Each structure stands twice: as C-alpha cells, then as structure tokens.
Amino acid sequence: MTEFSTPFGVKKSDRKLTKEELIRAIRLSIADEYEAIQVYEEIAESTEHEKAKKILLDIVEEEKIHVGEFMYLLKTLIPEEETFYNEGYKEAKEIIEEK
Ligand SMILES: [Fe+2]
C-alpha cells in the first residue's frame, strides 16, 4: 500500500531483521494501517450499499486498533521516542488553546 522503503528489497528475507529494521518495518506497518483506514472510509462514503458500508466501517475500527497495537510495540522498542511525541502534543495543545 504505502510506497516507503522497506527494510529489505523484497517482502521476505533469508535473515532475521535487526532491531533497526524491525523499527522501520513497524513504522511502515503503521502507515499501511492509516492508508487502509483512508481507503475503507472512502469506499464506505462512496457506496449506498448499507451492509457493505457497515462492514467497511467496522473494519476501519479494527484498523485503528491495529494502529494502537503497533504504536505500543514501537513504544516498547524505542521508549525514548515518546519524548518527541509528548513534545508534539504539547506544542499542538498550546496552539489549540491560544486565545
Ligand atoms: Fe490492519
């Protein structure tokens, strides 16, 4: 789905991932989950078939759970990165709460 680089040139390698490659693969997987959410929402919004819409939106919720799982895994692999996320939350909060 996404067109980022992958840790390997092909989908499967004959060796195990290094930790750095695993981290990149998880980031790529998070991007894939968000792309899936976008695609399924667009399809749901583009159909009048109510049952298809219901299933697609149910899958969207599942993909959001997958994002959470990957984010937790990423946090476990590189806990120091959370400092940057927290800084981003803080900066955005300050802008939103500006009067
Ligand atoms: Fe997923």
Side-chain angles (χ1 to χ4, degrees), residues 7-41:
F8 300 109
V10 294
K11 286 285 181 191
K12 186 175 178 191
S13 173
D14 57 356
R15 67 173 176 82
K16 300 297 184 190
L17 296 169
T18 64
K19 183 179 178 184
E20 290 72 25
E21 289 168 336
L22 176 60
I23 289 168
R24 287 197 297 271
I26 297 305
R27 286 192 175 117
L28 179 64
S29 298
I30 292 168
D32 283 343
E33 297 295 348
Y34 278 121
E35 184 173 14
I37 289 167
Q38 176 76 16
V39 168
Y40 303 150
E41 282 181 340

mmCIF file of all heavy atoms in Angstrom, residues 7-41:
data_model
loop_
_atom_site.group_PDB
_atom_site.id
_atom_site.type_symbol
_atom_site.label_atom_id
_atom_site.label_comp_id
_atom_site.label_asym_id
_atom_site.label_seq_id
_atom_site.Cartn_x
_atom_site.Cartn_y
_atom_site.Cartn_z
ATOM 1 N N PRO A 7 12.639 -2.477 4.904
ATOM 2 C CA PRO A 7 13.931 -2.890 5.442
ATOM 3 C C PRO A 7 14.687 -3.798 4.482
ATOM 4 O O PRO A 7 15.894 -3.863 4.494
ATOM 5 C CB PRO A 7 13.589 -3.637 6.723
ATOM 6 C CG PRO A 7 12.158 -3.389 6.993
ATOM 7 C CD PRO A 7 11.531 -2.894 5.738
ATOM 8 N N PHE A 8 13.958 -4.486 3.654
ATOM 9 C CA PHE A 8 14.559 -5.350 2.649
ATOM 10 C C PHE A 8 14.020 -4.943 1.283
ATOM 11 O O PHE A 8 12.971 -4.314 1.182
ATOM 12 C CB PHE A 8 14.206 -6.820 2.886
ATOM 13 C CG PHE A 8 14.655 -7.327 4.208
ATOM 14 C CD1 PHE A 8 13.733 -7.592 5.194
ATOM 15 C CD2 PHE A 8 16.000 -7.518 4.479
ATOM 16 C CE1 PHE A 8 14.139 -8.069 6.426
ATOM 17 C CE2 PHE A 8 16.417 -7.973 5.704
ATOM 18 C CZ PHE A 8 15.495 -8.255 6.683
ATOM 19 N N GLY A 9 14.719 -5.333 0.252
ATOM 20 C CA GLY A 9 14.259 -5.018 -1.090
ATOM 21 C C GLY A 9 13.079 -5.866 -1.512
ATOM 22 O O GLY A 9 12.367 -5.535 -2.436
ATOM 23 N N VAL A 10 12.878 -6.967 -0.820
ATOM 24 C CA VAL A 10 11.766 -7.864 -1.124
ATOM 25 C C VAL A 10 10.969 -8.078 0.150
ATOM 26 O O VAL A 10 11.388 -7.702 1.226
ATOM 27 C CB VAL A 10 12.259 -9.216 -1.678
ATOM 28 C CG1 VAL A 10 12.914 -9.023 -3.029
ATOM 29 C CG2 VAL A 10 13.210 -9.869 -0.701
ATOM 30 N N LYS A 11 9.829 -8.714 0.029
ATOM 31 C CA LYS A 11 8.959 -8.916 1.187
ATOM 32 C C LYS A 11 9.561 -9.853 2.225
ATOM 33 O O LYS A 11 9.390 -9.688 3.406
ATOM 34 C CB LYS A 11 7.587 -9.448 0.741
ATOM 35 C CG LYS A 11 6.741 -8.392 0.083
ATOM 36 C CD LYS A 11 6.184 -7.440 1.109
ATOM 37 C CE LYS A 11 5.303 -6.396 0.447
ATOM 38 N NZ LYS A 11 4.963 -5.320 1.354
ATOM 39 N N LYS A 12 10.284 -10.879 1.783
ATOM 40 C CA LYS A 12 10.807 -11.847 2.732
ATOM 41 C C LYS A 12 12.312 -12.006 2.519
ATOM 42 O O LYS A 12 12.792 -12.026 1.396
ATOM 43 C CB LYS A 12 10.114 -13.194 2.528
ATOM 44 C CG LYS A 12 10.495 -14.204 3.565
ATOM 45 C CD LYS A 12 9.709 -15.472 3.399
ATOM 46 C CE LYS A 12 10.168 -16.478 4.437
ATOM 47 N NZ LYS A 12 9.636 -17.794 4.180
ATOM 48 N N SER A 13 13.030 -12.096 3.624
ATOM 49 C CA SER A 13 14.475 -12.239 3.542
ATOM 50 C C SER A 13 14.882 -13.562 4.158
ATOM 51 O O SER A 13 14.147 -14.156 4.940
ATOM 52 C CB SER A 13 15.138 -11.090 4.299
ATOM 53 O OG SER A 13 16.529 -11.297 4.359
ATOM 54 N N ASP A 14 16.087 -14.010 3.834
ATOM 55 C CA ASP A 14 16.574 -15.261 4.420
ATOM 56 C C ASP A 14 17.297 -15.022 5.740
ATOM 57 O O ASP A 14 17.867 -15.927 6.317
ATOM 58 C CB ASP A 14 17.495 -15.988 3.432
ATOM 59 C CG ASP A 14 18.658 -15.132 2.992
ATOM 60 O OD1 ASP A 14 18.720 -13.945 3.384
ATOM 61 O OD2 ASP A 14 19.515 -15.660 2.262
ATOM 62 N N ARG A 15 17.248 -13.774 6.224
ATOM 63 C CA ARG A 15 17.845 -13.487 7.528
ATOM 64 C C ARG A 15 16.832 -12.771 8.404
ATOM 65 O O ARG A 15 15.810 -12.292 7.923
ATOM 66 C CB ARG A 15 19.111 -12.649 7.378
ATOM 67 C CG ARG A 15 18.861 -11.240 6.864
ATOM 68 C CD ARG A 15 20.133 -10.406 6.887
ATOM 69 N NE ARG A 15 19.924 -9.092 6.306
ATOM 70 C CZ ARG A 15 19.393 -8.064 6.962
ATOM 71 N NH1 ARG A 15 18.986 -8.208 8.207
ATOM 72 N NH2 ARG A 15 19.227 -6.902 6.376
ATOM 73 N N LYS A 16 17.118 -12.700 9.680
ATOM 74 C CA LYS A 16 16.229 -12.025 10.623
ATOM 75 C C LYS A 16 16.488 -10.522 10.584
ATOM 76 O O LYS A 16 17.584 -10.068 10.281
ATOM 77 C CB LYS A 16 16.452 -12.553 12.045
ATOM 78 C CG LYS A 16 16.201 -14.043 12.201
ATOM 79 C CD LYS A 16 14.760 -14.390 11.920
ATOM 80 C CE LYS A 16 14.504 -15.879 12.169
ATOM 81 N NZ LYS A 16 13.201 -16.297 11.698
ATOM 82 N N LEU A 17 15.456 -9.760 10.937
ATOM 83 C CA LEU A 17 15.579 -8.309 10.981
ATOM 84 C C LEU A 17 16.473 -7.876 12.138
ATOM 85 O O LEU A 17 16.419 -8.469 13.211
ATOM 86 C CB LEU A 17 14.204 -7.670 11.202
ATOM 87 C CG LEU A 17 13.137 -7.840 10.138
ATOM 88 C CD1 LEU A 17 11.801 -7.358 10.680
ATOM 89 C CD2 LEU A 17 13.502 -7.091 8.887
ATOM 90 N N THR A 18 17.235 -6.839 11.910
ATOM 91 C CA THR A 18 17.911 -6.189 13.029
ATOM 92 C C THR A 18 16.851 -5.389 13.777
ATOM 93 O O THR A 18 15.732 -5.195 13.274
ATOM 94 C CB THR A 18 19.005 -5.224 12.548
ATOM 95 O OG1 THR A 18 18.372 -4.158 11.810
ATOM 96 C CG2 THR A 18 20.036 -5.931 11.681
ATOM 97 N N LYS A 19 17.194 -4.894 14.955
ATOM 98 C CA LYS A 19 16.231 -4.086 15.709
ATOM 99 C C LYS A 19 15.859 -2.835 14.916
ATOM 100 O O LYS A 19 14.692 -2.439 14.872
ATOM 101 C CB LYS A 19 16.798 -3.698 17.073
ATOM 102 C CG LYS A 19 15.799 -2.926 17.906
ATOM 103 C CD LYS A 19 16.332 -2.555 19.273
ATOM 104 C CE LYS A 19 15.285 -1.747 20.027
ATOM 105 N NZ LYS A 19 15.793 -1.277 21.314
ATOM 106 N N GLU A 20 16.835 -2.217 14.284
ATOM 107 C CA GLU A 20 16.566 -1.007 13.500
ATOM 108 C C GLU A 20 15.638 -1.304 12.322
ATOM 109 O O GLU A 20 14.744 -0.516 12.004
ATOM 110 C CB GLU A 20 17.884 -0.391 12.996
ATOM 111 C CG GLU A 20 18.734 0.217 14.087
ATOM 112 C CD GLU A 20 19.408 -0.808 15.012
ATOM 113 O OE1 GLU A 20 19.635 -1.969 14.574
ATOM 114 O OE2 GLU A 20 19.670 -0.471 16.178
ATOM 115 N N GLU A 21 15.840 -2.419 11.672
ATOM 116 C CA GLU A 21 14.958 -2.806 10.560
ATOM 117 C C GLU A 21 13.548 -3.109 11.063
ATOM 118 O O GLU A 21 12.564 -2.774 10.403
ATOM 119 C CB GLU A 21 15.538 -4.025 9.831
ATOM 120 C CG GLU A 21 16.773 -3.683 9.034
ATOM 121 C CD GLU A 21 17.513 -4.922 8.542
ATOM 122 O OE1 GLU A 21 17.368 -6.014 9.155
ATOM 123 O OE2 GLU A 21 18.241 -4.803 7.551
ATOM 124 N N LEU A 22 13.467 -3.749 12.221
ATOM 125 C CA LEU A 22 12.149 -4.032 12.803
ATOM 126 C C LEU A 22 11.418 -2.729 13.101
ATOM 127 O O LEU A 22 10.224 -2.597 12.799
ATOM 128 C CB LEU A 22 12.307 -4.867 14.083
ATOM 129 C CG LEU A 22 11.012 -5.154 14.844
ATOM 130 C CD1 LEU A 22 10.024 -5.927 13.970
ATOM 131 C CD2 LEU A 22 11.318 -5.932 16.124
ATOM 132 N N ILE A 23 12.120 -1.756 13.651
ATOM 133 C CA ILE A 23 11.505 -0.456 13.949
ATOM 134 C C ILE A 23 10.992 0.186 12.666
ATOM 135 O O ILE A 23 9.857 0.675 12.618
ATOM 136 C CB ILE A 23 12.512 0.456 14.684
ATOM 137 C CG1 ILE A 23 12.721 -0.069 16.107
ATOM 138 C CG2 ILE A 23 12.047 1.908 14.690
ATOM 139 C CD1 ILE A 23 13.901 0.558 16.833
ATOM 140 N N ARG A 24 11.802 0.152 11.612
ATOM 141 C CA ARG A 24 11.345 0.729 10.329
ATOM 142 C C ARG A 24 10.145 -0.038 9.781
ATOM 143 O O ARG A 24 9.210 0.549 9.233
ATOM 144 C CB ARG A 24 12.492 0.742 9.315
ATOM 145 C CG ARG A 24 13.557 1.789 9.621
ATOM 146 C CD ARG A 24 14.447 2.063 8.418
ATOM 147 N NE ARG A 24 15.216 0.910 8.001
ATOM 148 C CZ ARG A 24 16.438 0.591 8.464
ATOM 149 N NH1 ARG A 24 17.027 1.363 9.349
ATOM 150 N NH2 ARG A 24 17.066 -0.476 8.026
ATOM 151 N N ALA A 25 10.157 -1.360 9.925
ATOM 152 C CA ALA A 25 9.035 -2.175 9.446
ATOM 153 C C ALA A 25 7.758 -1.850 10.217
ATOM 154 O O ALA A 25 6.666 -1.811 9.635
ATOM 155 C CB ALA A 25 9.377 -3.661 9.565
ATOM 156 N N ILE A 26 7.896 -1.607 11.515
ATOM 157 C CA ILE A 26 6.713 -1.266 12.319
ATOM 158 C C ILE A 26 6.183 0.105 11.900
ATOM 159 O O ILE A 26 4.974 0.296 11.762
ATOM 160 C CB ILE A 26 7.050 -1.289 13.832
ATOM 161 C CG1 ILE A 26 7.466 -2.691 14.282
ATOM 162 C CG2 ILE A 26 5.872 -0.774 14.660
ATOM 163 C CD1 ILE A 26 6.485 -3.790 13.973
ATOM 164 N N ARG A 27 7.094 1.061 11.669
ATOM 165 C CA ARG A 27 6.637 2.386 11.207
ATOM 166 C C ARG A 27 5.904 2.263 9.864
ATOM 167 O O ARG A 27 4.868 2.883 9.653
ATOM 168 C CB ARG A 27 7.827 3.335 11.053
ATOM 169 C CG ARG A 27 8.367 3.815 12.367
ATOM 170 C CD ARG A 27 9.336 4.965 12.145
ATOM 171 N NE ARG A 27 9.764 5.504 13.404
ATOM 172 C CZ ARG A 27 11.017 5.502 13.846
ATOM 173 N NH1 ARG A 27 11.968 5.003 13.092
ATOM 174 N NH2 ARG A 27 11.315 6.023 15.014
ATOM 175 N N LEU A 28 6.451 1.469 8.980
ATOM 176 C CA LEU A 28 5.812 1.238 7.681
ATOM 177 C C LEU A 28 4.449 0.583 7.872
ATOM 178 O O LEU A 28 3.472 0.950 7.203
ATOM 179 C CB LEU A 28 6.714 0.337 6.830
ATOM 180 C CG LEU A 28 6.206 -0.047 5.453
ATOM 181 C CD1 LEU A 28 6.076 1.185 4.569
ATOM 182 C CD2 LEU A 28 7.146 -1.056 4.812
ATOM 183 N N SER A 29 4.359 -0.347 8.804
ATOM 184 C CA SER A 29 3.087 -1.021 9.071
ATOM 185 C C SER A 29 2.050 -0.043 9.612
ATOM 186 O O SER A 29 0.867 -0.142 9.271
ATOM 187 C CB SER A 29 3.301 -2.167 10.073
ATOM 188 O OG SER A 29 4.188 -3.115 9.520
ATOM 189 N N ILE A 30 2.477 0.899 10.456
ATOM 190 C CA ILE A 30 1.547 1.917 10.968
ATOM 191 C C ILE A 30 1.021 2.753 9.802
ATOM 192 O O ILE A 30 -0.181 3.013 9.708
ATOM 193 C CB ILE A 30 2.242 2.802 12.025
ATOM 194 C CG1 ILE A 30 2.528 1.975 13.285
ATOM 195 C CG2 ILE A 30 1.381 4.031 12.359
ATOM 196 C CD1 ILE A 30 3.466 2.652 14.276
ATOM 197 N N ALA A 31 1.918 3.139 8.903
ATOM 198 C CA ALA A 31 1.492 3.920 7.731
ATOM 199 C C ALA A 31 0.500 3.118 6.891
ATOM 200 O O ALA A 31 -0.493 3.661 6.390
ATOM 201 C CB ALA A 31 2.709 4.328 6.896
ATOM 202 N N ASP A 32 0.742 1.830 6.752
ATOM 203 C CA ASP A 32 -0.174 0.959 5.994
ATOM 204 C C ASP A 32 -1.549 0.908 6.649
ATOM 205 O O ASP A 32 -2.579 0.893 5.962
ATOM 206 C CB ASP A 32 0.388 -0.456 5.858
ATOM 207 C CG ASP A 32 1.482 -0.548 4.810
ATOM 208 O OD1 ASP A 32 1.589 0.366 3.974
ATOM 209 O OD2 ASP A 32 2.228 -1.544 4.840
ATOM 210 N N GLU A 33 -1.567 0.850 7.974
ATOM 211 C CA GLU A 33 -2.858 0.820 8.673
ATOM 212 C C GLU A 33 -3.632 2.113 8.416
ATOM 213 O O GLU A 33 -4.841 2.075 8.153
ATOM 214 C CB GLU A 33 -2.652 0.625 10.182
ATOM 215 C CG GLU A 33 -2.005 -0.689 10.570
ATOM 216 C CD GLU A 33 -2.828 -1.923 10.259
ATOM 217 O OE1 GLU A 33 -4.023 -1.803 9.942
ATOM 218 O OE2 GLU A 33 -2.264 -3.027 10.323
ATOM 219 N N TYR A 34 -2.945 3.236 8.482
ATOM 220 C CA TYR A 34 -3.625 4.516 8.226
ATOM 221 C C TYR A 34 -4.113 4.602 6.779
ATOM 222 O O TYR A 34 -5.186 5.133 6.514
ATOM 223 C CB TYR A 34 -2.705 5.701 8.551
ATOM 224 C CG TYR A 34 -2.688 6.048 10.022
ATOM 225 C CD1 TYR A 34 -1.510 6.026 10.744
ATOM 226 C CD2 TYR A 34 -3.861 6.405 10.693
ATOM 227 C CE1 TYR A 34 -1.492 6.345 12.097
ATOM 228 C CE2 TYR A 34 -3.855 6.711 12.044
ATOM 229 C CZ TYR A 34 -2.666 6.686 12.740
ATOM 230 O OH TYR A 34 -2.653 6.991 14.072
ATOM 231 N N GLU A 35 -3.318 4.074 5.859
ATOM 232 C CA GLU A 35 -3.765 4.086 4.466
ATOM 233 C C GLU A 35 -5.006 3.204 4.297
ATOM 234 O O GLU A 35 -5.949 3.572 3.588
ATOM 235 C CB GLU A 35 -2.652 3.615 3.536
ATOM 236 C CG GLU A 35 -3.078 3.722 2.074
ATOM 237 C CD GLU A 35 -1.953 3.425 1.107
ATOM 238 O OE1 GLU A 35 -0.912 2.890 1.516
ATOM 239 O OE2 GLU A 35 -2.127 3.744 -0.077
ATOM 240 N N ALA A 36 -5.029 2.055 4.973
ATOM 241 C CA ALA A 36 -6.196 1.172 4.897
ATOM 242 C C ALA A 36 -7.430 1.893 5.440
ATOM 243 O O ALA A 36 -8.513 1.820 4.841
ATOM 244 C CB ALA A 36 -5.925 -0.118 5.680
ATOM 245 N N ILE A 37 -7.262 2.599 6.561
ATOM 246 C CA ILE A 37 -8.383 3.356 7.131
ATOM 247 C C ILE A 37 -8.918 4.346 6.103
ATOM 248 O O ILE A 37 -10.134 4.445 5.878
ATOM 249 C CB ILE A 37 -7.922 4.091 8.417
ATOM 250 C CG1 ILE A 37 -7.684 3.076 9.540
ATOM 251 C CG2 ILE A 37 -8.952 5.151 8.833
ATOM 252 C CD1 ILE A 37 -6.939 3.643 10.749
ATOM 253 N N GLN A 38 -8.019 5.069 5.469
ATOM 254 C CA GLN A 38 -8.417 6.065 4.459
ATOM 255 C C GLN A 38 -9.185 5.412 3.312
ATOM 256 O O GLN A 38 -10.254 5.876 2.907
ATOM 257 C CB GLN A 38 -7.155 6.766 3.934
ATOM 258 C CG GLN A 38 -7.402 7.755 2.819
ATOM 259 C CD GLN A 38 -7.999 9.053 3.324
ATOM 260 O OE1 GLN A 38 -7.963 9.339 4.513
ATOM 261 N NE2 GLN A 38 -8.558 9.824 2.419
ATOM 262 N N VAL A 39 -8.648 4.320 2.805
ATOM 263 C CA VAL A 39 -9.266 3.632 1.656
ATOM 264 C C VAL A 39 -10.649 3.107 2.027
ATOM 265 O O VAL A 39 -11.626 3.306 1.290
ATOM 266 C CB VAL A 39 -8.360 2.485 1.147
ATOM 267 C CG1 VAL A 39 -9.109 1.592 0.164
ATOM 268 C CG2 VAL A 39 -7.093 3.036 0.521
ATOM 269 N N TYR A 40 -10.769 2.437 3.182
ATOM 270 C CA TYR A 40 -12.049 1.848 3.565
ATOM 271 C C TYR A 40 -13.100 2.921 3.846
ATOM 272 O O TYR A 40 -14.277 2.742 3.518
ATOM 273 C CB TYR A 40 -11.890 0.925 4.775
ATOM 274 C CG TYR A 40 -10.890 -0.196 4.556
ATOM 275 C CD1 TYR A 40 -10.156 -0.723 5.605
ATOM 276 C CD2 TYR A 40 -10.666 -0.715 3.288
ATOM 277 C CE1 TYR A 40 -9.241 -1.741 5.407
ATOM 278 C CE2 TYR A 40 -9.741 -1.732 3.080
ATOM 279 C CZ TYR A 40 -9.026 -2.232 4.140
ATOM 280 O OH TYR A 40 -8.116 -3.225 3.943
ATOM 281 N N GLU A 41 -12.667 4.027 4.438
ATOM 282 C CA GLU A 41 -13.617 5.121 4.674
ATOM 283 C C GLU A 41 -14.094 5.722 3.350
ATOM 284 O O GLU A 41 -15.280 6.028 3.191
ATOM 285 C CB GLU A 41 -12.981 6.215 5.545
ATOM 286 C CG GLU A 41 -12.937 5.848 7.010
ATOM 287 C CD GLU A 41 -12.338 6.930 7.891
ATOM 288 O OE1 GLU A 41 -11.614 7.808 7.366
ATOM 289 O OE2 GLU A 41 -12.584 6.886 9.100
#
